[in-house]
Amino acid sequence: MSTLRAILRRDTDASELDSQWLHSIVGEWQLLADMSFSDLVMWVRNTDHEWIAAAHVRPSSSGTLFYRDIVGQEIRTSWRRAVDEARETGRIVDVVDTSGSPMRETRIRAVPVIRRLSQESLDVTDRPIAVITRHSNLGQARTPSRQELSFRELANEVFAMMTTADFPDLTAPSSPKQGAPRASDGLMRLDRDGIVTFASPNALSAFARMGFEEELEGRSLAEVTTELLDEDADIDESLPLVVTGRAPWHTDIESHGVTITIRAIPLRRHGERVGAMMLCRDVTEMRVQEQTLITKDATIREIHHRVKNNLQTVAALLRIQSRRTESAEATEALQNAERRVASIAVVHDTLSTGLSQSVDFDEVFDRTVRLTSEVASLHNARVRTQRVGSFGVLPSGYATPLALALTELVTNAVEHGLAGSEDGLVSIIADRTEETLRVQVVDNGVGLKGGTLGNGLGTQIVKTLITGELSGAIEWDAAEGGGTEVTVTVPLQFLEPEEV
């Protein structure tokens, strides 16, 4: 099924500003569908001047009238007159669709969508850029409750604002995906002076959990929130504007260990504010979980920082010991151990700077490969290293063994293949797909001695890390033109999506 953006680009002459305006409406209209207890369909005219459905939303507060999506379909004949009239007159048009069975008669409300020419201007488009139809089932008519009447009335206010370009408000910040208040969570209506004229039962319950036991209706919401706020609470600067309904923002109120998030939608008629619709939701548990995650992330970063410091201390001790050792063989062994510890420290240093437990391995490898420069100087070699391609982001469980293994391979190339070289080159070629990471370490040195692979400690470490830790494979071959080519293949298909 095509998206709204795809339909606007493919089938219509809508401008980018038209698209932005319509997407803003779609971002809000689940609320309108729930409050009006109706299906909503957005109609746009294609290049052949035919109406096609660009978007559709079903209410979560009642049953839907459409069991199949109609996005991309042309308008039905019984709806066309109302939509055409709404576009021509710029006014809301109500009709009853009797084309179905008596139990499926529906009321169609066609709402023309007018757009402001810019955020700074009050000028609007000459014609509607779209028409929204609201489909209500008349076959299930019953006496509505006061809450349902209030919800419908507020929805009608917002629909009327669409005809004068007072809704949506592009200056309003986007609502968070998680924790955004909905009509079913708690809804209030304020008049021009910020007095509550209607409060749903869930809104009353939310404020009761913060310690307010009186009636909200007839009270100033700003005064109520002022009474509830803890003395030592951090107050958001936007709070006064939100609780008076003057700004289309959202804020949190904390009292007695309970956190309520409130969102204001100012109600306007021809640009003049006449009141506000207030949505509220108890997000106490969500805020506790967020704080727990923040604390956990900070703890993990501190652990990585301390591990990095401890590893650097170990490396420093190995360096001191190597300088005081008279045996050349022992000195070399200690220096190799120091380099390996330093490679692991680089990974933990990278992890300690961010919230994610994944790292940009290109950055890690570029830092660890510098550790081989000292090895080259010890073997009277002038060696350059170059990385081709990208490793991408890897989880720490992959980054540590891979960094250590690749450092060993580059070190082995410098130490055994390029010793005494005046123009040594080690190329590290990374090729990553969705399923595998393939890395080639190629040098222009003397190649494998006797055509066979040695069995030193470095080789054993690399084999253990690649095959054991990473479940990968490793091959040593002679490179074209001389030198050695080592190919490492690591499977990635078992990574979680957020780790790739």
Side-chain angles (χ1 to χ4, degrees):
M1 184 176 62
S2 298
T3 63
L4 171 60
R5 186 175 300 278
I7 289 177
L8 292 177
R9 288 181 176 178
R10 182 188 65 224
D11 300 325
T12 74
D13 296 325
S15 67
E16 184 60 31
L17 290 176
D18 291 340
S19 177
Q20 182 182 3
W21 192 269
L22 296 179
H23 274 88
S24 296
I25 291 178
V26 169
E28 298 283 4
W29 73 346
Q30 181 64 63
L31 171 66
L32 297 177
D34 293 343
M35 292 176 58
S36 60
F37 306 90
S38 306
D39 287 84
L40 303 181
V41 183
M42 179 178 289
W43 300 96
V44 294
R45 299 236 293 183
N46 62 17
T47 52
D48 296 328
H49 304 290
E50 294 291 336
W51 292 107
I52 59 173
H56 171 216
V57 63
R58 296 178 173 86
S60 58
S61 55
S62 63
T64 180
L65 291 174
F66 303 100
Y67 297 99
R68 297 182 184 276
D69 287 305
I70 62 173
V71 173
Q73 298 182 18
E74 293 187 0
I75 195 168
R76 298 180 186 177
T77 304
S78 56
W79 305 340
R80 185 189 300 274
R81 182 181 66 82
V83 173
D84 284 338
E85 184 178 345
R87 180 178 183 273
E88 292 300 323
T89 63
R91 297 193 299 269
I92 294 176
V93 177
D94 288 307
V95 298
V96 175
D97 180 13
T98 58
S99 60
S101 64
M103 293 301 294
R104 290 297 302 275
E105 288 186 347
T106 58
R107 175 180 285 113
I108 310 297
R109 168 162 286 191
V111 181
V113 177
I114 304 294
R115 173 179 67 79
R116 290 196 189 280
L117 296 182
S118 69
Q119 293 185 15
E120 299 78 17
S121 172
L122 295 179
D123 296 333
V124 299
T125 53
D126 296 332
R127 284 182 175 273
I129 61 173
V131 174
I132 292 176
T133 52
R134 191 184 77 183
H135 302 257
S136 306
N137 190 355
L138 295 179
Q140 297 178 349
R142 56 179 176 78
T143 302
S145 65
R146 178 171 179 256
Q147 174 173 305
E148 184 174 338
L149 288 173
S150 298
F151 277 28
R152 292 183 185 275
E153 183 180 351
L154 282 170
N156 288 337
E157 291 268 10
V158 177
F159 283 125
M161 288 166 61
M162 290 184 188
T163 67
T164 57
D166 290 317
F167 186 87
D169 190 331
L170 297 185
T171 64
S174 58
S175 299
K177 293 182 179 180
Q178 294 185 345
R182 303 159 298 191
S184 58
D185 295 320
L187 183 143
M188 297 172 287
R189 179 170 185 165
L190 307 186
D191 63 14
R192 189 196 311 266
D193 299 320
I195 305 300
V196 179
T197 60
F198 169 77
S200 71
N202 285 343
L204 291 171
S205 298
F207 277 80
R209 285 191 287 274
M210 290 195 297
F212 184 77
E213 301 294 344
E214 304 174 26
E215 286 293 331
L216 278 172
E217 293 184 18
R219 294 289 304 272
S220 165
L221 185 61
E223 293 179 359
V224 171
T225 54
T226 301
E227 295 173 7
L228 290 174
L229 287 174
D230 297 332
E231 293 183 359
D232 57 346
D234 294 330
I235 300 177
D236 190 342
E237 294 179 356
S238 65
L239 180 61
L241 293 175
V242 174
V243 296
T244 56
R246 297 177 183 275
W249 300 335
H250 49 79
T251 187
D252 286 351
I253 301 175
E254 296 183 20
S255 179
H256 295 80
V258 177
T259 303
I260 302 295
T261 186
I262 294 183
R263 180 192 175 194
I265 301 177
L267 301 176
R268 296 185 174 89
R269 293 176 188 164
H270 302 287
E272 181 180 354
R273 188 177 63 85
V274 296
M277 176 169 59
M278 312 296 290
L279 302 170
C280 61
R281 181 178 185 179
D282 186 343
V283 293
T284 305
E285 184 177 350
M286 188 175 300
R287 293 294 181 265
V288 171
Q289 292 175 349
E290 290 174 354
Q291 188 59 45
T292 301
L293 288 175
I294 291 173
T295 303
K296 176 183 175 183
D297 289 334
T299 302
I300 292 174
R301 289 200 306 272
E302 179 61 22
I303 290 173
H304 282 305
H305 181 71
R306 294 189 181 188
V307 169
K308 181 261 297 185
N309 288 344
N310 291 338
L311 289 172
Q312 288 180 336
T313 300
V314 172
L317 292 173
L318 291 171
R319 187 183 309 114
I320 293 172
Q321 188 64 51
S322 68
R323 291 172 180 174
R324 295 190 176 188
T325 302
E326 297 180 357
S327 169
E329 184 178 352
T331 299
E332 182 179 359
L334 289 170
Q335 289 173 342
N336 288 336
E338 175 199 344
R339 175 177 41 76
R340 289 160 184 153
V341 171
S343 296
I344 300 174
V346 169
V347 177
H348 285 278
D349 185 32
T350 306
L351 289 169
S352 68
T353 60
L355 296 176
S356 174
Q357 287 304 294
S358 296
V359 296
D360 181 350
F361 195 78
D362 294 337
E363 177 187 350
V364 171
F365 179 75
D366 291 344
R367 292 176 61 186
T368 56
V369 80
R370 297 176 196 153
L371 300 172
T372 61
S373 59
E374 185 176 346
V375 178
S377 64
L378 291 174
H379 291 81
N380 300 317
R382 296 179 60 184
V383 178
R384 294 180 296 112
T385 58
Q386 65 174 10
R387 173 172 58 85
V388 180
S390 175
F391 294 94
V393 176
L394 292 173
S396 58
Y398 276 60
T400 301
L402 185 60
L404 186 53
L406 293 180
T407 303
E408 285 292 331
L409 290 175
V410 175
T411 302
N412 285 345
V414 173
E415 187 175 5
H416 301 294
L418 296 169
S421 174
E422 290 294 326
D423 188 25
L425 174 64
V426 181
S427 299
I428 302 92
I429 306 167
D431 180 20
R432 179 168 179 169
T433 66
E434 291 184 359
E435 296 186 348
T436 60
L437 172 62
R438 186 171 180 265
V439 184
Q440 293 176 289
V441 180
V442 184
D443 67 70
N444 60 350
V446 298
L448 298 173
K449 293 183 179 181
T452 59
L453 179 65
N455 196 31
L457 178 60
T459 302
Q460 293 178 19
I461 290 175
V462 171
K463 287 182 177 179
T464 300
L465 292 171
I466 298 300
T467 60
E469 295 288 328
L470 300 175
S471 301
I474 183 169
E475 296 179 356
W476 278 266
D477 294 301
E480 295 183 8
T484 305
E485 177 180 306
V486 185
T487 303
V488 173
T489 305
V490 178
L492 300 177
Q493 66 266 34
F494 303 111
L495 293 183
E496 296 294 331
E498 62 270 15
E499 296 180 325
V500 177

